[in-house]
Amino acid sequence: MHEGEQAAQASINKALIPEQKIAALRDMLRIRRFEQLSLKFYQQGKMGGFLHLYIGQESVAVAAASLMSGQDEMITAYRDHGHALAVGMSMEECMAELFGKATGCSKGKGGSMHFFAPDKHYWGGHGIVGGQVPLGLGLAFALKYKNIPGCALAFLGDGAINQGPVSESLNLASLFDLPLVIIIENNGYSMGTSLARSSSIKNYLAERAEGYNMAWDTANGSDFYELRAKLHHIMERARKESKPCILEVATYRYYGHSVADANAKKYRTTEEIEAYKANHDPISLWQEQLLKEKILTEADIEKLDEAAKEEAAASVAFAEASPWPDPASIFEDVYSQIDQGTHFFS
Amino acid sequence: MPIISYKQALNDAFAEEMTRDESVFLIGEEVAEYNGAYKVTEGLWKRFGSKRVIDTPISEAAFLGLGVGAAMMGLRPVVELMFWSFAYVGFDQIINNAGCVRYMSGGLINVPMVIRGPANGGTAVGATHSHTPENFLANTPGLKVVSPSTPYDAKGLMISSIRDNDTVCFMESTLLYGNEGEVPEGSYTIPLGVADIKREGTDLSLIAHGPAVLTSLAAAEILAAEHGISVEVVDLRSIRPLDEETILNSVAKTHRALLVDENKPFCGVSAQIAALIAEKAFDELDAPVTRVTALDAPAIYSFPLEKIQLPTADRVVAKALSLF
Ligand SMILES: Cc1ncc(C[n+]2csc(CCOP(=O)(O)OP(=O)(O)O)c2C)c(N)n1
Ligand SMILES: [Mg+2]
């Protein structure tokens, strides 16, 4: 059997009902349309700082979120809009955060790189490359400490794997038998540095797991079934046996490192980008799959896409209409006791 | 009242809090089976087991981050740094994660963690092991910083720090661990942000934290006995939040302020106190605000020189006399 078909036959995928398959497409489309619109308004000067687009990688966060049990936790880096929408954060709160408005998910205090939703088991959104991985270790530690049969998903990039604290965390996760699932979203580049120029290990980044007595695997990020099958397998092991592992996902970002990346097409060729879009786009491939399975028609897909665009447009309207944070709020959310008024010095 | 050591007072605080609250755990290098590099956690592994008292490999960034992640999930980690000097390899986790996550999440996430260990010079271990980073940490809104000088304060502040919903950087001193003092039995708390007058006086305020409080008390003795000067010693105990009121009241009473600080002078804790007094008590002053701090160079190894690099009672006395 062809590998893709095998993945489709995996029990976790066979268990999917059509509504769930459609929901996955809807989520991917929502991420793409949300980000495309955010790009437009970024370019109009409506946002500050950086805007790291996830476009091209949507399947990864959506597949992972689709497998979260309600007792699993997720954390990622600064390319975090996709994960945020995938776990169920609203476009409105996310767009308003990008606009720096008081109605943003972090009240305008975090920005693009720092989205959080602890009620959805989503712990950010972290701007320091690799710095979120020790936190993911802590999420996994807390699950085990509290005897919760969940796992912690910690995402990082192909560049981030070279950070010292990441290596420390791999060792600790393995030594302590923590239910940590490390997902490397290998999009081939860390800013303008290709993999060949950043990693001494030439086959797979995930091979580093072997140095820590840890299991590892790889997955094709543009194949939604494969992603789910492989993720399910390692998430189950993490939950049941409390063992960490690394999954390296081959994926690709279509835009520059951030919107401010003026060199986006200098360190890679236009042909390369176009080839990915044409042959590996996770959304197109999933759409084809759903057409083949006769779950959706072209017209249905069009409707989903229109709905995603409308939702994104509405989120912009919401963000535009929202107030700026009150200057007094600068001093709020620094210390819990001061916010609660239980501290007598402020 | 029982007389116990500073180290024992901390140990009792851990044991009492761990008994009271299942979510409290200790983690760090050599804290469990070895009983702690300075024996502050002695006996706790035996008593509470490997789930609650956890040895780590030498990976400060990872286990500090582990503490932050676990605290975000509602646990109350007490993370030991063998020396605060080693915090620098994990500074990102302290400053960017423990210090900023609450703010960046718009208050959705708390990080109720204690990071603790000795932060002092004076033990002839050279510059890399003699840092006092309380000023760096206190410069980070979101972090709290405390520095007790007595066994009584150590226990009460530690219990408060463990129960605090924000990250508290708890600065101890290897030179204070063996000091003994009266500590009541049972749990009690000292609120963060409340200074303590360790000696009352009318002519001069010495304002200090940590071991410099003891130096100040020794200087106060000399000034009283040999020069008839009545000195008040203000122990900050907590650097952030800072008890401005007690500092300003003391200055209003004595009209002279001398800051004694083992921190370096440049952008150090004493610089902050000096700015506070200049802004809010200028009219009370009969003499300029002055400082006796660590001499402004990396900590020297050579022990006779190291002793004079840190504030000494003699240096404090000389500086105090220059104010009259
Ligand atoms: C400690 C640190 N160093 C450098 C940066 C600047 N920086 C931000 S993202 C990035 C590249 C990271 O690439 P990768 O981990 O592959 O993730 P990707 O951007 O591809 O998602 C760099 C160098 C940073 N944010 N933090
Ligand atoms: Mg990358």
Side-chain angles (χ1 to χ4, degrees):
Chain A
M1 215 179 338
H2 177 257
E3 222 184 292
E5 281 166 49
Q6 240 171 18
Q9 294 307 315
S11 60
I12 190 69
N13 289 329
K14 276 172 73 177
L16 282 174
I17 56 171
E19 279 68 33
Q20 291 171 312
K21 297 182 185 184
I22 296 168
L25 178 60
R26 181 185 299 117
D27 281 346
M28 288 191 240
L29 286 168
R30 288 175 67 243
I31 295 169
R32 187 160 295 187
R33 295 309 185 193
F34 173 87
E35 287 205 322
Q36 283 172 339
L37 205 59
S38 70
L39 170 60
K40 181 172 155 197
F41 285 90
Y42 181 93
Q43 284 164 338
Q44 288 179 16
K46 298 279 184 179
M47 297 167 197
F50 301 130
L51 187 74
H52 306 93
L53 299 180
Y54 194 58
I55 293 176
Q57 305 183 204
E58 298 92 335
S59 50
V60 190
V62 171
S66 76
L67 293 163
M68 283 171 73
S69 67
Q71 293 184 314
D72 300 325
E73 312 295 334
M74 182 189 280
I75 191 164
T76 188
Y78 45 83
R79 202 177 294 286
D80 62 343
H81 315 150
H83 305 75
L85 294 177
V87 298
M89 289 177 74
S90 75
M91 281 198 197
E92 288 188 345
E93 63 182 321
C94 292
M95 192 64 85
E97 187 64 27
L98 297 179
F99 275 66
K101 296 298 183 76
T103 52
C105 49
S106 297
K107 305 180 189 163
K109 290 178 166 171
S112 160
M113 302 189 282
H114 310 115
F115 288 2
F116 299 86
D119 62 324
K120 300 184 173 65
H121 303 269
Y122 183 52
W123 301 97
H126 293 269
I128 301 298
V129 169
Q132 76 280 13
V133 177
L135 301 187
L137 180 77
L139 301 177
F141 176 91
L143 287 171
K144 185 171 178 182
Y145 190 94
K146 298 182 184 183
N147 297 315
I148 297 172
C151 64
L153 307 173
F155 290 82
L156 74 162
D158 49 282
I161 193 78
N162 300 312
Q163 277 284 28
V166 174
S167 297
E168 292 183 18
S169 299
L170 297 181
N171 182 54
L172 269 181
S174 183
L175 186 70
F176 290 174
D177 287 326
L178 297 182
L180 179 66
V181 174
I182 303 256
I183 301 166
I184 306 174
E185 295 193 69
N186 181 354
N187 57 17
Y189 298 89
S190 49
M191 288 188 70
T193 304
S194 67
L195 203 56
R197 296 200 297 126
S198 67
S199 178
S200 61
I201 297 182
K202 295 303 173 201
N203 296 320
Y204 293 106
L205 296 169
E207 272 180 47
R208 297 180 194 211
E210 285 177 13
Y212 302 101
N213 194 24
M214 197 191 289
W216 63 278
D217 200 355
T218 60
N220 172 4
S222 46
D223 183 334
F224 191 69
Y225 279 142
E226 180 180 327
L227 268 175
R228 270 181 53 93
K230 297 219 166 168
L231 276 167
H232 172 69
H233 179 68
I234 61 178
M235 287 167 75
E236 271 298 284
R237 192 181 45 212
R239 293 171 187 136
K240 292 199 171 125
E241 297 170 32
S242 199
K243 291 274 188 219
C245 88
I246 304 182
L247 182 71
E248 176 178 350
V249 178
T251 182
Y252 199 77
R253 63 166 158 78
Y254 296 167
Y255 289 87
H257 165 68
S258 74
V259 178
D261 175 5
N263 294 327
K265 291 184 183 157
K266 288 202 179 140
Y267 49 83
R268 54 185 188 172
T269 61
T270 306
E271 291 73 47
E272 179 184 301
I273 301 171
E274 292 310 318
Y276 268 94
K277 288 186 185 170
N279 306 318
H280 300 281
D281 184 64
I283 298 185
S284 310
L285 292 172
W286 186 238
Q287 286 175 348
E288 277 172 33
Q289 181 67 31
L290 298 190
L291 288 171
K292 204 166 83 189
E293 292 182 27
K294 302 207 186 315
I295 288 174
L296 287 175
T297 64
E298 296 274 6
D300 296 331
I301 292 173
E302 191 57 36
K303 258 190 236 158
L304 284 177
D305 196 28
E306 278 310 313
K309 284 185 194 165
E310 276 165 30
E311 189 186 351
S315 75
V316 168
F318 172 80
E320 297 254 44
S322 291
W324 296 105
D326 184 332
S329 76
I330 288 176
F331 297 108
E332 293 164 4
D333 304 314
V334 181
Y335 293 107
S336 67
Q337 283 169 311
I338 289 174
D339 292 345
Q340 288 155 12
T342 53
H343 208 281
F344 37 100
F345 297 107
S346 51
Chain B
M1 221 189 286
I3 308 271
I4 61 170
S5 69
Y6 185 103
K7 166 163 82 175
Q8 187 61 46
L10 290 170
N11 188 288
D12 288 352
F14 302 141
E16 287 166 26
E17 285 305 285
M18 289 175 76
T19 304
R20 190 186 65 82
D21 182 353
E22 272 285 314
S23 66
V24 178
F25 68 95
L26 307 181
I27 187 166
E29 292 158 18
E30 312 290 1
V31 296
E33 300 193 26
Y34 192 84
N35 277 316
Y38 287 97
K39 305 285 176 265
V40 177
T41 54
E42 188 156 27
L44 296 175
W45 174 64
K46 214 166 172 191
R47 179 162 164 200
F48 291 96
S50 299
K51 180 180 176 184
R52 310 281 304 278
V53 185
I54 303 154
D55 278 328
T56 66
I58 308 151
S59 303
E60 281 80 3
F63 68 74
L64 282 163
L66 184 156
V68 180
M72 296 193 317
M73 293 269 288
L75 299 184
R76 292 190 176 267
V78 177
V79 180
E80 173 170 313
L81 292 168
M82 195 180 284
F83 286 75
W84 262 104
S85 289
F86 306 157
Y88 299 148
V89 300
F91 233 42
D92 174 47
Q93 297 301 322
I94 302 176
I95 308 289
N96 277 314
N97 290 343
C100 298
V101 155
R102 184 168 205 280
Y103 196 72
M104 294 195 304
S105 67
L108 291 175
I109 299 173
N110 289 324
V111 186
M113 171 167 70
V114 175
I115 310 172
R116 54 156 291 268
N120 60 286
T123 58
V125 285
T128 56
H129 285 56
S130 303
H131 290 291
T132 56
E134 54 265 39
N135 57 326
F136 300 149
L137 298 158
N139 192 242
T140 303
L143 296 178
K144 294 176 173 173
V145 182
V146 301
S147 174
S149 66
T150 65
Y152 175 81
D153 290 347
K155 181 170 175 183
L157 284 170
M158 180 55 79
I159 292 177
S160 290
S161 299
I162 292 172
R163 296 181 189 177
D164 200 284
N165 281 332
D166 297 312
T167 297
V168 180
C169 300
F170 200 98
M171 327 295 280
E172 303 158 13
S173 165
T174 55
L175 294 176
L176 298 180
Y177 281 148
N179 286 7
E180 296 192 325
E182 288 192 340
V183 176
E185 299 212 48
S187 282
Y188 61 94
T189 57
I190 296 173
L192 270 54
V194 182
D196 185 41
I197 307 287
K198 285 285 192 288
R199 176 187 175 115
E200 300 230 21
T202 53
D203 301 335
L204 167 68
S205 299
L206 296 182
I207 302 169
H209 67 273
V213 172
L214 305 190
T215 311
S216 300
L217 287 168
E221 261 322 301
I222 300 170
L223 286 162
E226 297 177 15
H227 305 280
I229 296 173
S230 165
V231 174
E232 179 145 301
V233 176
V234 179
D235 180 353
L236 297 176
R237 297 202 291 201
S238 167
I239 292 157
R240 187 166 190 158
L242 183 68
D243 184 352
E244 298 192 356
E245 198 180 315
T246 298
I247 296 169
L248 297 173
N249 285 345
S250 180
V251 173
K253 178 169 138 192
T254 65
H255 308 293
R256 286 181 176 78
L258 169 52
L259 319 179
V260 186
D261 192 358
E262 296 199 355
N263 205 202
K264 298 289 194 275
F266 202 94
C267 298
V269 173
S270 61
Q272 178 66 27
I273 309 296
L276 169 75
I277 296 171
E279 275 178 44
K280 299 193 178 168
F282 188 78
D283 291 339
E284 297 287 356
L285 292 172
D286 287 345
V289 178
T290 48
R291 301 188 284 165
V292 172
T293 69
L295 301 180
D296 201 12
I300 192 167
Y301 161 68
S302 179
F303 20 99
L305 268 65
E306 187 191 31
K307 292 223 159 48
I308 61 167
Q309 185 170 20
L310 291 172
T312 60
D314 288 347
R315 272 214 277 147
V316 176
V317 168
K319 185 66 101 180
L321 292 177
S322 77
L323 298 177
F324 290 91

